[in-house]
């Protein structure tokens, strides 16, 4: 029978949390203090069986599953020592509360903790209950440091020169693309648009020239959700993003929604909306889910979207429904369209992990990193997510086909270990080779705006947290009012003036201070990375 961590949620009282204050005396690496001069003892210890407990928050959370057993077999085989994996499944709600309870005492702390962004993290570091992983990664973490980019690791690096976090799940460099109906372009005799003007010409033709041939004016040029990302072909052609902070030529940082280029883009979008080229459903806050846009996509009544790269997987529900409704229809991905100055870009994803892993003082960091490194290997990553080829799935001309039902997959525990170094390369079998290449291509096409957007490392931004709700509300009311014709274009200037009154001055000052410090920190990180990571890749 496996040794399990026994967690009594009732017994973990707030009084237990006071242990954080005295945890420093335990020493984060006390378990690693074996005699350095006893080589025989060290060799014996390196073959000794060990248990690793790990919190998990993804997948079906199936206990004693096939995936758990398979991981144990893989780790045992690769390390040459018996390893037992003890998952601790986090609840669907009040995750932070449960994590804090686990971390409040050494005898309940897991070896590896999965967590999202939490203000408690800095307290764990100060208390010495999470370990610097740099030495262990140098010895045992090649798969991990080879997979994650230098920029990604920066967002998880501590300015003290230590690495306490390993990213758990990081999005592809670019997840969205301009999608257009190639069959409609061909039917209407239009060239593939390369510029914003050509794109607008195509959108008008999709609306006015009966591309579906039913004799009715029932098609739209562009559709999407209520978020400004759906209008990226316009904003990005002018080098702005109303949701981001943008680096200026003088080195300062400015909230993108207040930049004059946004006003130019809004004028163009409003004109097209007034002509009926843009689907009016985009202007409804109710149109904010993937499911709603997927339905619009599948209807076959829209010529273009700015939407997910993953739509081009044959297994995508939106794609399957579109093909069922429109057997002769064909959507394709195109390069971002260029604006008047030739600038073009796709939306870049943030390079940081939205969740991460820490190794606590519950056991040696070396053992934890060795287990994580096995999980990070391409073959094991795929195995834990998709199962065994031939038994649980087949690959037919590069297309993944699951052989088990969803219920069977859940019983197997497939995806139990999702968000634990989830690879987004060819290990993700749900992407066809073509889609994998498209994701890789988005690294290039999203780079121009990646160079412009200030992505903050600091998660503690008090001024933004204080004022952002009111600022974004005012922005949305002004911009959608302009687009729908309810407000004149002067509403943009009124918003810019209102921005400062809503706390924009404080927000901008904070943004500039944080980013200036971040650039200085990156210079230190660059030296650290070249000394501590590059030689071990």
């Amino acid at each position: 029978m496996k040794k399990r961590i026994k967690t009594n949620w009732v017994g973990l009282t707030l009084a237990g949390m006071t242990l954080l204050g005295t945890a420093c005396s335990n020493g984060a690496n006390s378990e690693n203090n074996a005699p350095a001069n006893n080589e025989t003892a060290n060799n014996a210890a390196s073959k000794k069986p060990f248990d690793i407990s790990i919190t998990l928050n993804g997948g079906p959370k199936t206990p004693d599953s096939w995936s758990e057993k398979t991981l144990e077999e893989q780790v045992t085989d690769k390390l040459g020592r018996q390893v037992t994996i003890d998952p601790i499944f986090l609840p669907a709600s009040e995750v932070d509360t449960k994590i804090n309870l686990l971390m409040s005492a050494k005898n309940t702390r897991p070896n590896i903790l999965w967590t999202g962004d939490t203000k408690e993290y800095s307290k764990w570091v100060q208390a010495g209950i999470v370990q610097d992983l740099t030495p262990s990664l140098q010895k045992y973490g090649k798969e991990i440091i080879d997979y994650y980019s230098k920029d990604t690791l920066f967002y998880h690096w501590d300015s003290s020169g230590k690495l306490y976090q390993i990213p758990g799940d990081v999005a592809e460099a670019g997840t969205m693309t301009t999608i257009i109906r190639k069959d409609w372009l061909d039917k209407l005799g239009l060239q593939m648009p390369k510029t914003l003007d050509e794109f607008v010409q195509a959108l008008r033709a999709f609306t006015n020239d009966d591309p579906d041939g039913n004799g009715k004016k029932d098609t739209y040029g562009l559709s999407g959700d209520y978020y400004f990302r759906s209008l990226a072909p316009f904003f990005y052609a002018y080098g702005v993003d109303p949701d981001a902070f943008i680096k200026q030529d003088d080195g300062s940082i400015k909230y993108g929604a207040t930049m004059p280029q946004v006003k130019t883009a809004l004028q163009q979008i409003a004109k097209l909306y007034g002509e009926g080229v843009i689907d009016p459903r985009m202007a409804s806050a109710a149109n904010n889910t993937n499911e709603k846009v997927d339905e619009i996509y599948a209807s076959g009544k829209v010529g273009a979207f700015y939407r997910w790269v993953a739509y081009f997987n044959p297994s995508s529900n939106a794609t399957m429904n579109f093909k069922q409704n429109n057997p002769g229809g064909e959507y394709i991905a195109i390069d971002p369209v260029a604006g008047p100055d030739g600038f073009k870009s796709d939306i870049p994803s943030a390079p940081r992990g939205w969740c991460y892993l820490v190794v606590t003082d519950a056991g040696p960091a070396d053992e934890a990193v060795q287990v994580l490194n096995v999980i990070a290997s391409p073959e094991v990553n795929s195995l834990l997510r998709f199962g065994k080829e031939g038994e649980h799935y087949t690959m037919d001309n590069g297309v993944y086909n699951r052989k088990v039902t969803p219920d069977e997959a859940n019983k197997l525990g497939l995806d139990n270990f999702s968000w634990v170094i989830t690879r987004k390369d060819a290990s993700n079998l749900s992407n066809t080779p073509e889609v994998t290449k498209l994701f890789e291509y988005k690294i290039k096409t999203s780079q121009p705006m990646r160079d412009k957007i200030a992505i903050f490392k600091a998660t503690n931004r008090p001024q933004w947290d204080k004022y952002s709700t009111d600022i974004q509300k005012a922005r949305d009311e002004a911009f959608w009012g302009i687009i729908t014709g309810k407000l004149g274009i002067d509403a943009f200037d009124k918003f810019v003036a209102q921005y400062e009154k809503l706390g924009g001055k404080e927000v901008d000052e904070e943004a500039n201070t944080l980013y200036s410090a971040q650039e200085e920190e990156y210079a230190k990180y660059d030296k650290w990375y070249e000394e501590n990571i590059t030689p071990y890749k």
Side-chain angles (χ1 to χ4, degrees), residues 129-181:
I129 64 174
V130 294
Q131 303 191 53
D132 175 21
L133 302 178
T134 307
S136 298
L137 286 169
Q138 290 171 346
K139 290 182 286 187
Y140 304 114
K142 192 173 189 308
E143 293 284 3
I144 298 169
I145 61 178
D146 280 351
Y147 176 65
Y148 286 124
S149 71
K150 181 178 180 178
D151 283 350
T152 290
L153 287 182
F154 168 67
Y155 288 90
H156 298 270
W157 180 74
D158 191 86
S159 58
S160 65
K162 300 181 187 298
L163 190 65
Y164 294 109
Q165 302 177 5
I166 294 176
D169 186 47
V170 182
E172 295 87 348
T175 60
M176 304 186 79
T177 187
T178 305
I179 299 173
I180 200 163
R181 285 288 295 268

Side-chain angles (χ1 to χ4, degrees), residues 150 153 525-535 537:
K150 181 178 180 178
L153 287 182
Y525 166 77
D526 182 68
K527 181 180 179 182
W528 174 90
Y529 186 92
E530 295 306 318
E531 292 176 354
N532 291 278
I533 300 298
T534 299
K537 290 175 71 72

Side-chain angles (χ1 to χ4, degrees), residues 462-497:
Q463 300 305 317
W464 176 249
D465 292 342
K466 181 178 180 180
Y467 297 114
S468 60
T469 299
D470 290 340
I471 288 171
Q472 290 171 332
K473 183 175 183 289
R475 176 200 64 185
D476 292 354
E477 289 175 352
F479 289 9
W480 284 111
I482 292 169
I483 290 169
T484 58
K486 296 175 183 177
L487 297 175
I489 193 61
D490 63 328
F492 173 81
D493 301 310
K494 292 177 181 177
F495 163 71
V496 173

Side-chain angles (χ1 to χ4, degrees), residues 333-359:
I334 64 171
D335 281 355
V337 293
D341 296 333
F343 185 86
K344 59 180 181 178
S345 181
D346 278 309
I347 295 178
S349 301
R352 71 184 307 148
W354 66 269
C355 60
Y356 56 88
L357 309 158
V358 297
V359 174

Side-chain angles (χ1 to χ4, degrees), residues 296-317:
I296 297 171
Y297 186 91
S299 72
K301 293 293 183 180
V302 178
F305 293 82
Y306 193 79
R307 211 67 190 155
W308 310 115
V309 170
Y311 272 10
F312 291 97
N313 280 314
S315 59
S316 161
N317 286 331

Side-chain angles (χ1 to χ4, degrees), residues 34-50:
N37 60 350
N38 194 334
E39 185 175 344
T40 303
N42 286 341
N43 289 338
S46 70
K47 298 300 180 183
K48 190 177 179 181
F50 67 91

Side-chain angles (χ1 to χ4, degrees), residues 188-199:
L188 299 176
L190 297 171
Q191 297 296 314
M192 199 69 65
K194 295 182 178 180
T195 67
L196 182 59
D197 286 345
E198 292 169 354
F199 185 62

